[in-house]
Structures are given as structure tokens and as C-alpha cells.
């Protein structure tokens, strides 16, 4: 087979320099809609040779194994390739071994199927002899969970694995004196009403800082905004309440 021929009379691949692939979009935590305006990953023009996968920090990554194929849209492509089935990565002693890299097509796992070769080196790195896929967008996937750098004005949604705009308040917050919560014992209550955000989210949080006489924050509270008008209160003591309309 292809993998047997690679070990015949050839210097151990672990002792040679190989091409490094480190595009963060290959990582299995990344969906294909994270990079609007960019083309989907495709390895149809890949040179058939040995590669090593790394993240931006230089840490080694591997092609995911598991019982099933990865779902369409993962790894920055439409048809991600992984190594499904009940197989483990090779040991150093195994030398060069063959594995089936598969992709799902129309709901069928391994409808796309390519024989690749693996070699584990003594330093723990796993090298891959990759075959060129037929067609686009098909690409090899890796492990890893590199943080995604979104465009200015966007934030990464971990639940959806996509970049999206910051939530916007539908109106300005309102701050006012709350006489019902204030009393004559020199305790004054202020309320800050926080409006809805758009798009609304159960995870939106606002840090409310109360600034009084000397300009120093009086009380910091993080408010979890769910929906509707939310109000957070603070009480301030030792003020001259006559200046605030109390007699």
C-alpha cells in the first residue's frame, strides 16, 4: 500500500523537516460561518506529502478520531475529514501506519474516503502523509480550540461558535432617585434601569459603576440582563439629604 512504500529505504520522517499546517479554521471547534467573506477551506490543491499540524503557539494538533464522522460545517469547511471508527493514534513503535480519513456526504459517514499515513515520533508529534481530496470544499480537520479573533465591533459567541455583533441597548439607561427605598437615616437609594438589548440574549451582562462626590466608584455590580427593564439599586449614606429634596 501507499504507507508501506513510504518506509522503504527512506530516512525516518521524524528526522526530516516537514510542512506545518496551522490555519486555526481547521480546528474542530470552529464552524464554517465564522469568517464571512472568506472562502471555505479546501485541500484539493494540497501536495501529497508529510505534514504536521500546529496551533498558533506551536503546540502539536492531531486529526480527530472517534466513532463518527464530523458534521458538515465544522473546521471552516463544508466537508471536514477526520478518522472515524474505533481506532487509536499509533505508538512510536508502530512506525508508519495507514488510516482512513473520512468525510460525511448527504448524511453518510465515509462517503468521502482517503487513505492517509501516520507516524508518531519520539517527541510526541504525529506526522501525516495526506492525500489530496477530490473537489471542494473538503479539508482535513484538527483538534484544538484556539480563540477566534473577531472583527472590530464583534464578539465570539461560544455557544454558537460564531462571531456576531455586540448587543446594543434599545435606549439609554435611566438613573433616578427612589424615594420609596430611601429613608431619613441618611440612606439614599438610586435606581439604574437597564433597557433591553438587541439582539436579546440571556448571557448579556452590564457592569454598573456608581460615581459620587469624589469621583471614585461607590459600588460595582454586574447585572445579568435577560429581558425587559432591569433595575439595580445602590444606597449612599452620609449625604446631606436636603440637597436631594428630602426635608
Amino acid at each position: 500500500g501507499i504507507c508501506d512504500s513510504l518506509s522503504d529505504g527512506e530516512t525516518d520522517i521524524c528526522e526530516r523537516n516537514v510542512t506545518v499546517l496551522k490555519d486555526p479554521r481547521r480546528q474542530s471547534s470552529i464552524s464554517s460561518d465564522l469568517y464571512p467573506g472568506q472562502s471555505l477551506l479546501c485541500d484539493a490543491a494540497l501536495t501529497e506529502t508529510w505534514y504536521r499540524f500546529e496551533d498558533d503557539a506551536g503546540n502539536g494538533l492531531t486529526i480527530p478520531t472517534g466513532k463518527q464522522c464530523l458534521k458538515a460545517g465544522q473546521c471552516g469547511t463544508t466537508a471536514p475529514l477526520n478518522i472515524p471508527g474505533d481506532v487509536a493514534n499509533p505508538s512510536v513503535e508502530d512506525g508508519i501506519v495507514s488510516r482512513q480519513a473520512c468525510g460525511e456526504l448527504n448524511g453518510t459517514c465515509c462517503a468521502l474516503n482517503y487513505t492517509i499515513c501516520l507516524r508518531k515520533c519520539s517527541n510526541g508529534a504525529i506526522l501525516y502523509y495526506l492525500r489530496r481530496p477530490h473537489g471542494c470544499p473538503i479539508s482535513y480537520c484538527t483538534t484544538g480550540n484556539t480563540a477566534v479573533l473577531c472583527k472590530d465591533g464583534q464578539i465570539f459567541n461560544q455557544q454558537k461558535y460564531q462571531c456576531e455583533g455586540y448587543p446594543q441597548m434599545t435606549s439609554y439607561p435611566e438613573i433616578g432617585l427612589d424615594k420609596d427605598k430611601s429613608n431619613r437615616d441618611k440612606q439614599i437609594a438610586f435606581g439604574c434601569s437597564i433597557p433591553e438589548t438587541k439582539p436579546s440574549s440571556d448571557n448579556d451582562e452590564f457592569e454598573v459603576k456608581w460615581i459620587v462626590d469624589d469621583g471614585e466608584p461607590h459600588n460595582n455590580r454586574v447585572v445579568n440582563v435577560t429581558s425587559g427593564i432591569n433595575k439595580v439599586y445602590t444606597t449612599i449614606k452620609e449625604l446631606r439629604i436636603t440637597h436631594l429634596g428630602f426635608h
Side-chain angles (χ1 to χ4, degrees):
I2 179 66
C3 298
D4 292 333
S5 65
L6 294 175
S7 60
D8 291 342
E10 190 173 323
T11 304
D12 189 343
I13 189 61
C14 292
E15 299 176 9
R16 297 165 51 194
N17 292 325
V18 300
T19 303
V20 176
L21 300 176
K22 56 191 311 179
D23 192 319
R25 290 178 293 172
R26 290 187 182 274
Q27 298 180 25
S28 57
S29 61
I30 306 301
S31 66
S32 59
D33 58 356
L34 279 178
Y35 298 83
Q38 294 191 27
S39 59
L40 297 175
L41 286 176
C42 185
D43 289 333
L46 199 71
T47 299
E48 295 189 353
T49 187
W50 287 98
Y51 294 91
R52 181 175 71 253
F53 294 105
E54 290 183 356
D55 62 16
D56 287 339
N59 301 308
L61 303 176
T62 59
I63 295 178
T65 59
K67 294 183 181 293
Q68 302 294 328
C69 288
L70 295 174
K71 297 299 181 183
Q74 288 182 259
C75 311
T77 190
T78 297
L81 300 176
N82 70 312
I83 303 175
D86 192 16
V87 294
N89 284 319
S91 65
V92 176
E93 292 74 24
D94 289 335
I96 297 176
V97 301
S98 64
R99 293 286 189 269
Q100 296 303 118
C102 289
E104 183 179 284
L105 185 64
N106 297 325
T108 301
C109 182
C110 280
L112 302 171
N113 191 311
Y114 304 94
T115 299
I116 63 174
C117 310
L118 287 68
R119 172 75 166 103
K120 184 170 185 178
C121 302
S122 58
N123 63 0
I126 297 181
L127 308 182
Y128 296 87
Y129 188 92
L130 301 180
R131 307 299 300 279
R132 187 166 47 247
H134 305 301
C136 282
I138 307 169
S139 69
Y140 291 95
C141 190
T142 70
T143 55
N145 189 24
T146 294
V148 179
L149 296 179
C150 298
K151 295 180 180 179
D152 289 343
Q154 292 187 323
I155 190 171
F156 183 60
N157 187 318
Q158 287 283 355
Q159 294 178 325
K160 298 179 182 178
Y161 287 110
Q162 65 183 31
C163 291
E164 56 188 27
Y166 282 102
Q168 302 293 317
M169 289 186 290
T170 54
S171 61
Y172 289 108
E174 295 183 359
I175 300 174
L177 175 67
D178 194 307
K179 293 185 178 182
D180 293 334
K181 291 183 178 292
S182 302
N183 57 53
R184 295 180 179 276
D185 189 27
K186 296 183 179 181
Q187 178 169 292
I188 310 300
F190 292 93
C192 177
S193 297
I194 301 174
E196 284 186 330
T197 56
K198 188 178 182 180
S200 60
S201 170
D202 292 343
N203 299 314
D204 294 343
E205 290 185 342
F206 292 86
E207 184 177 86
V208 179
K209 292 186 178 182
W210 298 92
I211 309 297
V212 295
D213 297 337
D214 55 5
E216 292 298 319
H218 168 69
N219 179 24
N220 294 340
R221 293 184 60 185
V222 175
V223 184
N224 184 271
V225 178
T226 53
S227 62
I229 303 300
N230 296 265
K231 183 173 286 189
V232 59
Y233 293 94
T234 191
T235 55
I236 302 175
K237 296 182 179 181
E238 304 303 328
L239 291 177
R240 298 193 178 188
I241 60 177
T242 56
H243 291 176
L244 297 170
F246 285 81
H247 301 287

